[in-house]
Amino acid sequence: MDHEMDVENMGNEEDRVGILISSRSSSTTTAGSGSGIREPLLVKNSRLNTTSQHAIVGANVCPIESLDYEIIENDIFKQDWRSRAKSEIVQYVYLKWTFALLIGLGTGLTAFFSNIGVENIAGVKLNLTNDLMLNQKFRQAFAVFAGCNMILAIAAAALCAYIAPAAAGSGIPEVKAYLNGVDAPSILATRTLFVKIFGSILGVAAGFVVGKEGPMVHTGACIGNLLGQGGSTKYGLTWKGFKQFKNDRDRRDLITCGAAAGVAGAFRAPVGGVLFALEEAASWWRSALLWRTFFTTAVVAVVLKCFTEYCKGGNCGLFGEGGLIMFEVNYAKPSYSIPDLLVVIFLGVVGGLLGSLYNYLVDKVLRTYSIINERGPIFKVILVMIISFLTSCCSFGVPWLSKCIPCPPQAGDQCPTVGRSGHYKNFQCPPNHYNDLASLFFTTNDDAIRNLFIAGTDKRFLLSSLLIFFVAIYFLGIITYGIAIPSGLFIPVILAGASYGRVAGSLLSPFTVLDVGLFALLGAASFLGGTMRMTVSLCVILLELTNNLLMLPLVMLVLLISKSVADCFNKGVYDQIVEMKGLPYLEAHAEPYMRQLAAGDVVSSPLFTFSGVEKVGNILHTLKVTRHNGFPVIDEPPFSDEPELCGLVLRYHLLVVLKHKVFTKSQRGSSSILKRLNSHDFGKPGAGKGINLDELDISEEETEMYVDLHHITNRSTYTVLETTSLAKASILFRELGLRHLLVVPKIPGRPPIVGILTRHDLMAEHVSGLYPHITPTRKRSYYQETHSHL
């Protein structure tokens, strides 16, 4: 059975079998006769694929589908390419680069104005609180601080809970799944984009231990998706040039550019953005895409540089250095020896252990929050309010545990800090003293990272203060991720890692000459490697952030070690979330058990097929009784001497033909489809409404007419022999970005097709259901645990 990811649940499996068997027994068909309802082709040992075709998006259970990344090379497509003038091809390429430019401009502007919003809102809040603190009005100061945080948190939560639930969280897991070939409702919608932007500004300004880096990746992807809609009939954007982009393949490329631009906009790391898209986000890559993503991130970097220079003149309110975190850390002693390398190895090992524990705890918290969030939007908002109050209590209350430290003589007028930013927060201390914990807690997250990364400041933070800050941030980051606000993991992990690194630097200072600021950088790298399991992209992002290439070997070493250690315990945090949400993600590697099975061992049945010239009534009946999205087309006499596989026809293409009623009264082949329709008619709709089967108006007389499917059949579809290793078929499926992979018999004389492999047939849940004795026991996703009845 072409068990594609359905748009709706088909109900009880026994009912489905009954429908199929009754249709088969009530009306049989002789080869090529075209009369009656065509029976499904049954393979031996009939197998029904019962894997879920729903996933959690936001906190809601939604139907999911696969994406058609493969080029459908049918007669319509070939006619379109043959008829294209050279000017149209140039126009198509020009538009691709124009869209890449617009994605860069849009993401760069969004990143800049998001940071202006965060810095100004948080700045006003902190200035009001500081003024009250200086006047010894501590209770009023806490009331203002916690009240402002609560208002901002409620606003962010209300946007996510009531308007766009898909905007909650990081968004990187959903972007990864989309670029892997999984489409879910609303994850890249326009309302998701706007809620992501404003929700992220409000959430970060509210003082939560979250970052805007993950949401920026999601924002960039949404901008790419918006530009890749192929025009809009609603707004009159129906130019032929736009219509060329009404396909999943070009839309995927633009979303990849958007994801890369998001990282570039969040960190001012254009090269790191390209490598992030290559290493973590995209499952499919080519050299032309590399050029376009590089161009897009370069545009983002130029936009941010121009606006940042403009703001240096004080034209952007309280923007200051801004939330565009560029640390420019320069260390006095870039040289290192063998003992220093041993210390770095130790940092990597401990960072990997703490990172894997972080992922484990995040997984547990997310599963708990899912139970709460399922109760409705009001419970999402209440949970956000609880976490906001707890965070405010920690940020305001924990600094009271630290004793006041005399200002260092070299600090001059900079100690204590006047205003919201700076490295020496006065808090409740007397003149010429500062509170080191307040310098980390009572500020924005970006400023806290700057304070931790500063070089040559061994005595600026007490060891006890660093330990308290590390423990608090570690657990605040865990319990904050998963609430109904846009929230990124990069900043919480960098904060925890940098504080851990400074602790290690203070303890290991007798054994190394490395600066404590460098320890903070290496600690952040070890945590990032232990949680996210990225290496190349993280290394380049950190080096672009700190503007210090001299530390490249040490950063590489600590990332490799932390990732290797953490991989022994669990997956990366984004991979865990993808699995927990029930998104059917195809891994880059084949599982060991797949070597023991062949493609023919896992194909599902029954399988519906069509003749090359099929009766309209048969097509309508098949589309009504199944939600499959691909159907094999078999040529039979008189079109061939014996039954042979012609190719694959998509459900949406059948709906287009039925809508336009391109029918013939004769069972002989006809070229009327080529004359009446063109490739743009078969363009896949984006956010707009597609063709609905229930809306088709087909008369009884028309059901007895015929459709020549040859012209809309993909005759270049990929096939594998039934004896092909399942591991090889799985890798082929992912690397080529397929939606359907046809399995054909090895021995001639049998029916020309054995079955179709789809994404769900390659899932471990399906294979383990068929062959439990050879597949390992797998941890079930939260969706599978709570919605196994679907």
Side-chain angles (χ1 to χ4, degrees), residues 57-295:
V57 179
N60 301 325
V61 177
C62 302
I64 51 178
E65 279 195 37
S66 277
L67 295 162
D68 294 297
Y69 288 156
E70 181 191 3
I71 294 178
I72 308 301
E73 294 187 357
N74 52 29
D75 292 346
I76 297 286
F77 171 83
K78 294 174 183 177
Q79 176 179 263
D80 176 66
W81 273 99
R82 283 194 301 265
S83 62
R84 283 192 185 184
K86 185 177 180 180
S87 60
E88 290 181 300
I89 297 175
V90 172
Q91 180 188 85
Y92 173 67
V93 176
Y94 173 79
L95 278 174
K96 279 189 173 182
W97 286 94
T98 302
F99 283 154
L101 172 65
L102 293 176
I103 291 171
L105 290 173
T107 307
L109 290 171
T110 301
F112 177 74
F113 287 110
S114 294
N115 282 283
I116 280 186
V118 169
E119 293 291 309
N120 279 279
I121 294 173
V124 170
K125 175 189 69 178
L126 292 173
N127 281 340
L128 288 174
T129 310
N130 281 331
D131 291 342
L132 292 170
M133 293 286 290
L134 291 174
N135 294 322
Q136 306 296 310
K137 298 179 179 179
F138 300 122
R139 292 181 180 177
Q140 294 93 322
F142 175 72
V144 169
F145 182 72
C148 290
N149 286 344
M150 186 67 70
I151 293 171
L152 294 170
I154 292 173
L159 287 174
C160 289
Y162 290 100
I163 298 178
S170 168
I172 292 179
E174 287 80 3
V175 174
K176 274 173 61 84
Y178 185 95
L179 295 178
N180 189 257
V182 181
D183 188 20
S186 302
I187 60 173
L188 298 174
T190 304
R191 64 177 180 177
T192 303
L193 168 63
F194 288 104
V195 171
K196 200 78 178 183
I197 295 171
F198 292 106
S200 179
I201 293 173
L202 295 170
V204 176
F208 285 112
V209 184
V210 297
K212 48 191 176 294
E213 289 66 33
M216 273 306 305
V217 174
H218 195 180
T219 298
C222 289
I223 293 173
N225 180 68
L226 183 64
L227 292 172
Q229 293 298 308
S232 170
T233 55
K234 181 178 180 180
Y235 298 104
L237 301 174
T238 56
W239 180 43
K240 184 179 179 181
F242 289 156
K243 291 180 180 179
Q244 295 177 1
F245 290 85
K246 280 192 174 295
N247 62 84
D248 288 334
R249 188 183 182 93
D250 286 324
R251 202 170 292 153
R252 171 196 60 192
D253 290 354
L254 293 175
I255 290 170
T256 303
C257 291
V263 174
F267 291 110
R268 278 199 289 179
V271 179
V274 175
L275 293 175
F276 174 85
L278 172 62
E279 181 180 7
E280 181 67 10
S283 298
W284 189 88
W285 200 263
R286 68 178 190 275
S287 58
L289 186 57
L290 178 67
W291 277 100
R292 278 200 294 277
T293 53
F294 186 74
F295 171 69

Side-chain angles (χ1 to χ4, degrees), residues 64 121 123 141 157 200 222 263 269 280 298 403 459 474 484 534 556 617 644 656 669 687 703 736:
I64 51 178
I121 294 173
S200 179
C222 289
V263 174
E280 181 67 10
K403 65 180 182 180
K459 306 301 182 183
Y474 190 90
M534 294 180 281
M556 291 175 64
E644 65 178 29
V656 171
T703 59
L736 295 176

